[in-house]
DNA sequence: TTGGTATTGAAAATCATTCTCAATCTCAGG
DNA sequence: CCTGAGATTGAGAATGATTTTCAATACCAA
C-alpha cells in the first residue's frame, strides 16, 4: 500500500511532525470525523457520506470542481434517502470553514473543490469543459498593485480564463 | 453647446473621417435608430426608450454597470407599459452585438455597461458597491501566456477584484 | 394601405440556491 | 446504557434571476 496524505491534513489543526499518521482506507473514517468536529458540527451518516463522495470523486475519479448537483447525484447513488438540501448545506459549511473552495464560473452554478495548499485560478475550455488550474504570482502581485492604486484593501478576486483546449482545437466545431 | 461624441460611435460601421457628425440632442434619436438597424432589428418605441435610458443613465447620472432590473425601473418611470422581458431581451441583443458589455460579479445579477473602446476589468467595494474600472496590459499579457502554456486559444476572461474602498475603510464596520 | 413578420407584455417556466418546519437523530451528562 | 436539549434532516415551498411562451399588436417593404 502506498503512503498517502491524509485528506484535508493541511487544513486540520497542525500536529507534531512525528504524529502525522499514514492514511489508508482503515482510518479514512476517522479523518472525516476529525474534519466534521473541526467544523464544530455533529457527526452524522449523511455528512460522512458526503465527505466520502467528495473525496473519492477527486482521488479516485480525478473529478475536481463538481457542482452541488453532481455531488448530490453521487451521494444519492449510494443512499437515495439523503436530501439535496443536506448536501447543499454541508457544502456551504465546508466552504465557510475553507475545507472546500467555491468556484464561480461566469453565470453558471458554483463548483466546489477540495481546498489546495496554494491559491490557484482556472482556465476552462468552453467547448468540452476541461479545467486547468494555474498559479501565477505575477498576476497576483499586479492585482494587489491595482487595488493599492485605488486605495482599496484587496480581499478576494475572481480570475477565470476561457478558451479552446488543444483537443477541441483539433475537432471540427460542434455546430 | 459643447462638442460631444455620438453614442456608440466607435462601434458603428466606420465612416469617412469628415463625415463624423457632431452629436446633439437633435440627432440622438437618429443615432439610436442607426444602432438598432445595425443590429438587424426593427425600430420600436420600446427599444428607442431603453436605449435612451441606458445612455442617459451613464452620460447624465454617471451610472455605469446597471442591472436589468435597474434599467427596467428607469424605463418604467417614463413608460410603465414597457415590460420587463422587453428590456431584458433587448439588453441581451445589445450584448450579443457588443454595444453593451455584460459584467458578472460573483453570484449576483448581471450588470451592463456601454461597451468601451478598450477592454477593462473591475475592482468592487464589497461594502458600498463602488466600482472602479482598470486596464492592465501586463495582467492581460500574463493571461495569454498562461493560456499558451496549456495550449489553449484564449477567447475571454473574467477578472474581478473585491476589496474595501478608502471611504469604507474609514467607516466603522457595518455590523 | 397592407400582409407577412418581428415584437411585445403578461404570465408561466427554468434554474440555482435558500429557507421552513415537523420529525428525527446526536451526544454530553447522568 | 439512558435521556433530553438542541442540532440535523428531508421534503417541499420560497426566492430571485433569467428565459420562454404565446396571443395580440406593431413595423415596414412593397
Ligand atoms: Zn476542450
Ligand atoms: Zn481549482
Ligand atoms: Zn466602499
Ligand atoms: Zn466597467
Amino acid at each position: 500500500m502506498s503512503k498517502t496524505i491524509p485528506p484535508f491534513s493541511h487544513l486540520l489543526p497542525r500536529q507534531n511532525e512525528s504524529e502525522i499518521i499514514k492514511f489508508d482506507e482503515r482510518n479514512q473514517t476517522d479523518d472525516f470525523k476529525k474534519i466534521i468536529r473541526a467544523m464544530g458540527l455533529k457527526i452524522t451518516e449523511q455528512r460522512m457520506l458526503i465527505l466520502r463522495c467528495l473525496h473519492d470523486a477527486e482521488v479516485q475519479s480525478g473529478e475536481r470542481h463538481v457542482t452541488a448537483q453532481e455531488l448530490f447525484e453521487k451521494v444519492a447513488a449510494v443512499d437515495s434517502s439523503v436530501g439535496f438540501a443536506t448536501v447543499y448545506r454541508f457544502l456551504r459549511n465546508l466552504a465557510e470553514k475553507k475545507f472546500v473552495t467555491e468556484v464561480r464560473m461566469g453565470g453558471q452554478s458554483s463548483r466546489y473543490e477540495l481546498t489546495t495548499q496554494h491559491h490557484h485560478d482556472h482556465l476552462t475550455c468552453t467547448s468540452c469543459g476541461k479545467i486547468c488550474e494555474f498559479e501565477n504570482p505575477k498576476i497576483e502581485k499586479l492585482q494587489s498593485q491595482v487595488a493599492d492604486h485605488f486605495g482599496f484593501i484587496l480581499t478576494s478576486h475572481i480570475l477565470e480564463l476561457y478558451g479552446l483546449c488543444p483537443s477541441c482545437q483539433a475537432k471540427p466545431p460542434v455546430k
Side-chain angles (χ1 to χ4, degrees), chain A:
Chain A
M1 177 182 302
S2 70
K3 186 170 163 184
T4 28
I5 296 164
F8 308 100
S9 59
H10 60 288
L11 292 170
L12 286 167
R14 192 160 294 290
Q15 40 194 276
N16 193 310
E17 192 68 25
S18 63
E19 280 188 285
I20 291 179
I21 300 142
K22 268 180 276 181
F23 172 69
D24 63 58
E25 283 299 322
R26 221 164 294 126
N27 44 39
Q28 177 173 326
T29 294
D30 292 337
D31 288 317
F32 291 161
K33 285 184 180 171
K34 276 181 203 161
I35 289 159
I36 297 172
R37 282 201 203 92
M39 293 195 284
L41 299 174
K42 291 188 173 173
I43 291 163
T44 66
E45 270 183 33
Q46 291 91 334
R47 284 169 179 163
M48 289 297 286
L49 176 58
I50 293 167
L51 218 37
R52 183 153 63 80
C53 288
L54 186 60
H55 183 263
D56 288 359
E58 174 143 346
V59 173
Q60 295 177 7
S61 323
E63 298 176 56
R64 276 177 76 77
H65 313 109
V66 293
T67 61
Q69 183 61 38
E70 285 163 359
L71 181 58
F72 167 67
E73 280 158 18
K74 288 174 196 299
V75 169
V78 180
D79 178 351
S80 64
S81 73
V82 177
F84 180 74
T86 302
V87 173
Y88 212 96
R89 268 183 304 232
F90 189 45
L91 223 28
R92 193 153 21 93
N93 290 332
L94 286 163
E96 278 163 11
K97 297 295 166 40
K98 315 278 192 209
F99 285 103
V100 305
T101 302
E102 185 179 355
V103 185
R104 299 205 90 115
M105 319 240 186
Q108 297 166 265
S109 50
S110 288
R111 293 184 170 273
Y112 300 84
E113 59 177 34
L114 302 189
T115 298
T116 50
Q117 214 134 5
H118 300 293
H119 166 78
H120 64 262
D121 295 302
H122 301 93
L123 168 59
T124 304
C125 175
T126 49
S127 175
C128 70
K130 181 183 179 189
I131 298 173
C132 295
E133 301 186 330
F134 66 91
E135 218 182 317
N136 191 304
K138 286 184 191 169
I139 293 179
E140 303 287 324
K141 175 165 287 182
L142 287 164
Q143 289 177 4
S144 308
Q145 288 174 8
V146 168
D148 285 351
H149 176 261
F150 288 97
F152 275 54
I153 293 174
L154 188 62
T155 51
S156 66
H157 70 261
I158 294 174
L159 173 58
E160 299 290 337
L161 306 184
Y162 298 97
L164 264 192
C165 74
S167 65
C168 288
Q169 289 169 40
K171 287 177 214 155
V174 176
K175 204 177 54 184

